[in-house]
């Protein structure tokens, strides 16, 4: 359509007149959605005699597009003006890297592309901090796609715009970007964006709840949740890729600046066989990836230090021994990893992207990127499990068996799978199977299974039953089999679960309700102990 | 039109909700509340420490009703929320000048 318009409007103009119609943005990349904006640039050589003719041509091109109801971003520029705009405006510089010919003189567009790419490479290092700041600010503003029930497919962290950043970083020759799964995820988000445009008839980028059914039907998903899970999963892949690639680009800049002294990498040992290097944990020797236990030990060291495992290290670990439940140190190393604190989240994410989780924990696949529609929850099921582990890790001093508390936190919502009517009951069965596979002794397994099955019991009783009613206290005791240590584990898990879910789930009101219930239990226990003492 | 507000014990909420639904009330607002009445200042022991509870957790229910229903709704709430012990709560009724349903713009009693 644009080529036909160009041919009509430039009829009679010399082929060598130094004019071309070019596209940037999604149109320039050949990824335009059904209702995307058209980003067009009318390029010209800037000859003085040509100015009036160029202005007339521009008007004759833009007006039919406006009249046709298309959303148009347009500009008329010489090559020098393109370079000037790219120098002054970072987002324009990134966008102009996609400049591509629609019609007119191919050499003019090729020349512009080459000059803009050269400028980008020449100044990329000095502009990198500004680019990183802009990306982080956008991520902060638009949120995390992988954790949103109504994701912004374009601007969010892990959205389509992050692929433009990945391409810009590679175009600057600062670093390569991951391929394979990242390209697949990106294409999926493009498909979802196109389906969203098609089903709403508008150029929207936010996949709202009301649009999810239509998009799921167009893309052949059985349910809207299946569709949303796939979108959140794709966002997760892109988020991980852009974070890692940006970090790698910043590292390459530091390496270039810090040239004083020996050129050997600086390795600070932080655990058995692993070291801290440039803000990431690496293996001291590559052969260590073949050793049992190396992956979990390195992960535990990284998470405890609050840094990530280096991508090359993850690749080596995945290709090497991996994580196996048969390893003699498996359970202890898993406890160290789970107890590491907030650093667990990103390290686990790295392990999962490298394929190092599902081998020993296949139940994880069913909750990965699974959305939760309960208004108190702010995260997907998988992320909520990890957030609960982090919350529990901060309270291990309150329980006799921190290892069982952490396992309970990791598994408490593992039953939130498709088709489960009561996720606590389903979760108890799944948890029992996982714990048996991990070699957890039967008595400990029973405690963790109780935690999973009863993880909602205390808050339910506290908020809906009379704490002075003996039947309520009997229900508390029945839930934990009369075991005070298990009750204390359940109290701490209840709080960790609610805190991880989000603000409303752990209001001072709810905390007080649970406190009142536990005070009533404690009072009755004390009365009974005293009665037994007197009778004895 | 009247606004009926009730402060009740949280564990009585399910009973009150059920009774109101049986009566024909279709919508209500429930929120978490804390406060005290004549029972203030009692102490409780938890995790080995005794602490004084000034503000006791309560549930707050708000219901818009037509004038003719207000008395009966109060009765329903009182009956369902009563345990006979201190701290059962309060119910009060205030007049409402106007109501608007945001979605449709309906006004007055038809917006209840």
């Amino acid at each position: 359509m644009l080529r036909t318009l160009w041919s009509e409007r430039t009829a009679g103009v010399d082929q060598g007149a130094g004019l071309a119609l070019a596209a940037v943005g999604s149109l320039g990349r050949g990824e335009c959605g059904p209702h995307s904006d058209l980003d067009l640039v009318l390029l010209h050589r800037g000859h003085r005699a040509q100015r009036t003719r160029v202005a007339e041509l521009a008007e004759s091109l833009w007006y039919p597009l406006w009249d046709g109801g298309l959303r148009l971003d347009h500009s008329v520029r010489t090559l020098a003006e393109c370079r000037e705009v790219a120098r002054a405006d970072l987002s324009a510089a990134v966008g102009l890297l996609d400049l591509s010919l629609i019609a007119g003189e191919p050499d003019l567009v090729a020349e512009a592309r080459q000059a803009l790419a050269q400028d980008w490479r020449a100044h990329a290092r000095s502009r990198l901090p500004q680019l990183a700041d802009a990306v982080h600010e956008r991520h902060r503003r638009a949120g995390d796609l992988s954790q949103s029930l109504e994701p912004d497919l374009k601007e969010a962290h892990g959205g389509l715009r992050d692929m433009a950043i990945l391409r810009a970083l590679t175009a600057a020759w600062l670093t390569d970007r991951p391929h394979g799964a990242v390209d697949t995820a990106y294409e999926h988000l493009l498909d979802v964006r196109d389906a969203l445009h098609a089903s709403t008839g508008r150029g929207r980028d936010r996949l709202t709840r009301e649009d999810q059914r239509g998009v799921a039907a167009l893309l052949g998903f059985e349910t809207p949740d299946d569709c949303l899970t796939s979108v959140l999963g794709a966002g997760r892949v892109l988020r991980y890729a852009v974070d890692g690639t940006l970090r790698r680009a910043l590292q390459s800049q530091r390496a270039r600046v810090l040239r004083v002294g020996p050129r050997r990498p600086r390795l600070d040992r932080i655990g058995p066989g692993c070291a801290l290097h440039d803000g990431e944990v690496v293996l001291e020797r590559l052969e260590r990836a073949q050793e049992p236990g190396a992956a979990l030990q390195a992960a535990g060291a990284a998470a405890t230090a609050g840094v990530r495992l280096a991508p090359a290290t993850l690749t080596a670990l995945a290709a090497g021994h991996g994580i196996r439940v048969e390893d003699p140190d498996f359970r202890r190393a898993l406890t160290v990893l789970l107890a590491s604190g907030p650093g667990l989240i990103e390290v686990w994410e790295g392990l999962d992207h490298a394929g190092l989780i599902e081998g020993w924990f296949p139940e994880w696949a069913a909750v990965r990127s699974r959305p939760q529609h309960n208004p108190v929850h702010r995260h997907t099921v998988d992320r909520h499990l990890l957030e609960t582990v982090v919350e529990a890790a901060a309270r291990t001093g309150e329980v006799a068996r921190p290892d069982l508390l952490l396992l309970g936190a990791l598994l408490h919502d593992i039953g939130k799978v498709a088709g489960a009517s009561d996720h606590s009951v389903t979760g108890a069965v799944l948890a029992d199977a996982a714990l048996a596979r991990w070699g957890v002794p039967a008595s400990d397994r029973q405690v963790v299974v109780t935690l999973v099955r009863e993880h909602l019991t205390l808050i339910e009783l506290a908020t809906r039953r009379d704490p002075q009613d003996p039947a309520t206290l009997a229900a508390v005791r029945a839930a934990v089999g009369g075991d005070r240590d298990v009750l204390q584990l359940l109290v701490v898990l209840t709080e960790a679960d609610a805190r991880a879910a989000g603000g409303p789930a752990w209001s001072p009101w709810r905390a007080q309700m649970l406190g009142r219930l536990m005070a009533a239990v404690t009072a009755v226990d004390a009365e009974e102990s005293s009665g037994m003492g007197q009778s004895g | 039109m009247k606004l009926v507000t009730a402060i009740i014990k949280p564990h009585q909420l399910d009973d009150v909700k059920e009774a109101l639904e049986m009566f024909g009330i279709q919508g209500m607002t429930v929120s978490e509340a804390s406060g005290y009445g004549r029972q203030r200042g009692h102490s409780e022991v938890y995790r080995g420490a005794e602490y004084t509870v000034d503000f006791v957790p309560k549930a707050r229910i708000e219901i818009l009703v037509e004038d003719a229903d207000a008395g009966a709704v109060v009765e329903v709430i009182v009956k369902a929320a009563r345990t006979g012990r201190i701290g059962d709560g309060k119910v009060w009724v205030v007049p409402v000048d106007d109501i608007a349903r945001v979605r449709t713009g309906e006004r007055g009693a038809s917006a209840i």
Side-chain angles (χ1 to χ4, degrees):
Chain A
M1 186 261 293
L2 289 169
R3 289 198 184 102
T4 309
L5 183 65
W6 176 266
S7 303
E8 288 169 8
R9 298 301 191 252
T10 57
V13 177
D14 288 345
Q15 284 305 305
L19 291 167
L21 183 63
V24 291
S26 60
L27 183 63
R29 294 188 297 272
E31 297 166 349
C32 202
H35 293 277
S36 293
D37 293 356
L38 300 180
D39 295 327
L40 297 176
V41 184
L42 177 57
L43 275 174
H44 64 100
R45 295 270 179 206
H47 303 312
R48 192 171 298 171
Q50 206 182 21
R51 292 273 176 185
T52 312
R53 169 74 190 119
V54 168
E56 286 170 3
L57 176 61
E59 282 195 9
S60 73
L61 288 169
W62 309 152
Y63 272 97
L65 298 175
W66 280 321
D67 293 343
L70 296 172
R71 295 195 309 178
L72 176 67
D73 279 346
H74 60 93
S75 56
V76 181
R77 289 189 182 127
T78 63
L79 171 55
E81 286 167 345
C82 285
R83 296 177 75 178
E84 185 53 41
V85 167
R87 258 196 298 276
D89 183 339
L90 190 63
S91 61
V94 173
L96 281 166
L97 293 171
D98 296 322
L99 191 79
S100 65
L101 176 74
I102 292 176
E105 195 179 311
D107 289 351
L108 180 57
V109 177
E111 204 179 310
R113 270 185 76 97
Q114 195 180 5
L116 289 162
Q118 271 175 2
D119 287 351
W120 178 246
R121 283 196 295 275
H123 300 288
R125 285 178 192 281
S126 60
R127 301 185 81 172
L128 187 58
Q130 192 193 349
L131 179 70
D133 285 349
V135 170
H136 292 145
E137 171 55 24
R138 173 170 56 78
H139 290 167
R140 191 196 58 73
R141 201 177 56 246
D144 182 351
L145 193 154
S146 72
Q147 296 299 318
S148 173
L149 288 175
E150 295 191 328
D152 182 332
L153 301 172
K154 189 173 180 182
E155 302 288 340
H157 193 176
L160 294 167
R161 204 177 277 290
D162 279 339
M163 184 56 115
I165 299 300
L166 287 174
R167 287 172 175 153
L169 291 171
T170 44
W173 297 355
L174 288 172
T175 179
D176 195 10
R177 69 169 181 86
H179 295 268
V182 176
D183 293 318
T184 308
Y186 180 65
E187 280 162 21
H188 183 55
L189 288 186
L190 283 176
D191 288 345
V192 174
R193 191 272 322 263
D194 289 353
L196 179 62
H197 284 197
S199 71
T200 60
R202 294 181 182 186
R204 286 183 187 165
D205 295 316
R206 185 174 289 281
L207 183 61
T208 62
R209 280 183 207 213
E210 62 196 29
D211 299 328
Q212 286 168 14
R213 186 165 295 281
V215 169
L218 271 177
L219 293 175
F221 283 98
E222 212 162 285
T223 68
D225 259 10
D226 290 343
C227 177
L228 185 58
T229 300
S230 76
V231 171
L232 305 188
R236 210 176 124 254
V237 172
L238 267 168
R239 172 185 179 274
Y240 188 72
V242 77
D243 287 355
T245 308
L246 202 50
R247 203 168 58 249
R248 189 77 47 235
L250 289 163
Q251 284 172 342
S252 75
Q253 188 193 39
R254 279 201 296 276
R256 179 89 164 239
V257 173
L258 303 171
R259 287 209 165 206
V260 182
R263 299 287 297 278
R264 274 188 322 202
R266 182 179 164 177
L267 299 174
D268 297 317
R269 195 157 210 265
I270 62 163
C274 52
L276 191 62
H277 171 247
D278 208 358
E280 294 174 335
V281 165
V282 297
L283 297 176
E284 285 182 325
R285 293 174 296 103
L286 200 59
E287 307 85 69
R288 201 169 136 62
Q290 305 298 331
E291 295 173 15
L296 268 183
Q297 282 174 359
T304 305
V307 296
R308 300 169 196 227
L309 283 165
T313 302
L314 281 165
T315 306
L317 289 169
H321 184 80
I323 299 173
R324 298 179 194 172
V325 295
E326 299 81 17
D327 294 345
D329 205 30
F330 169 79
R331 273 189 289 132
R332 200 195 63 79
L334 178 61
T335 302
V336 170
L337 174 63
L338 296 180
S340 59
L344 168 72
I345 306 279
E346 290 301 334
V347 169
W348 187 284
E349 189 76 358
L351 293 172
D352 201 14
H353 281 284
L356 283 161
I357 298 291
E358 274 186 53
W360 59 276
F361 191 8
E363 294 83 2
W364 188 253
V367 295
R368 186 188 289 123
S369 297
R370 188 165 180 78
Q372 306 195 71
H373 296 292
N374 184 326
V376 301
H377 276 288
R378 58 182 165 164
H379 295 300
T380 51
V381 177
D382 55 341
R383 178 67 179 270
H384 171 69
L385 290 172
L386 296 179
E387 294 281 350
T388 306
V389 172
V390 171
E391 290 289 346
R395 289 167 181 76
T396 49
E398 299 172 29
V399 296
R401 290 290 304 272
D403 55 334
L404 302 186
L405 171 67
L406 294 167
L407 288 173
L410 179 66
L411 293 166
H412 77 281
D413 271 350
I414 202 69
K416 283 189 172 171
V417 296
S421 57
D422 182 338
H423 77 270
S424 301
V425 175
T426 305
V429 176
L430 293 172
D432 196 33
L435 294 162
R437 193 183 321 116
W438 300 344
V440 176
S443 56
D444 289 351
R445 211 160 77 213
Q446 196 181 341
V447 171
V448 179
V449 167
T450 299
L451 295 179
V452 173
R453 192 182 56 241
E454 307 293 345
H455 73 271
L456 294 174
T457 301
L458 291 186
I459 202 69
E460 284 282 327
L461 290 173
T463 56
R464 307 180 80 152
R465 299 272 289 274
D466 183 356
Q468 303 305 322
D469 185 346
T472 306
L473 305 185
V476 172
R477 286 179 170 170
V480 296
D483 188 319
R484 290 183 192 183
D485 286 342
V486 179
L487 178 58
Q488 183 57 19
L489 283 165
L490 195 56
V491 169
V492 177
L493 175 61
T494 301
E495 181 175 339
D497 181 17
R499 284 184 184 276
W506 192 246
S507 62
W509 188 88
R510 290 170 81 83
Q512 201 181 357
M513 295 291 281
L514 183 60
R516 285 165 62 85
L517 176 64
M518 296 318 299
V521 172
T522 307
V524 171
D525 279 352
E527 263 175 41
E528 284 178 2
S529 301
S530 131
M532 283 170 68
Q534 282 165 9
S535 64
Chain B
M1 295 163 295
K2 306 282 191 202
L3 173 66
V4 180
T5 304
I7 303 291
I8 61 167
K9 286 183 171 173
H11 61 264
Q12 296 300 115
L13 180 61
D14 284 346
D15 289 350
V16 171
K17 246 167 60 181
E18 197 179 327
L20 286 168
E21 279 162 14
M22 294 273 285
F23 179 78
I25 295 296
Q26 293 177 330
M28 68 187 79
T29 303
V30 178
S31 50
E32 296 172 355
S34 299
Y36 58 82
R38 286 183 297 186
Q39 87 278 31
R40 75 180 289 187
H42 72 282
S43 60
E44 292 179 350
V45 179
Y46 177 50
R47 293 183 185 174
E50 186 169 337
Y51 62 96
T52 302
V53 178
D54 279 339
F55 291 98
V56 181
K58 300 287 181 191
R60 178 188 178 108
I61 303 172
E62 288 164 297
I63 310 162
L64 288 163
V65 296
E66 294 199 44
D67 290 352
D69 292 335
V73 165
V74 171
E75 286 302 316
V76 168
I77 294 173
V78 167
K79 199 170 163 195
R82 182 181 293 144
T83 67
R85 294 198 296 272
I86 288 173
D88 270 353
K90 295 272 189 298
V91 186
W92 62 89
V93 181
V94 293
V96 172
D97 291 339
D98 196 8
I99 302 171
R101 191 189 301 280
V102 174
R103 180 172 58 83
T104 59
E106 288 167 275
R107 304 297 290 259
S110 59
I112 289 177

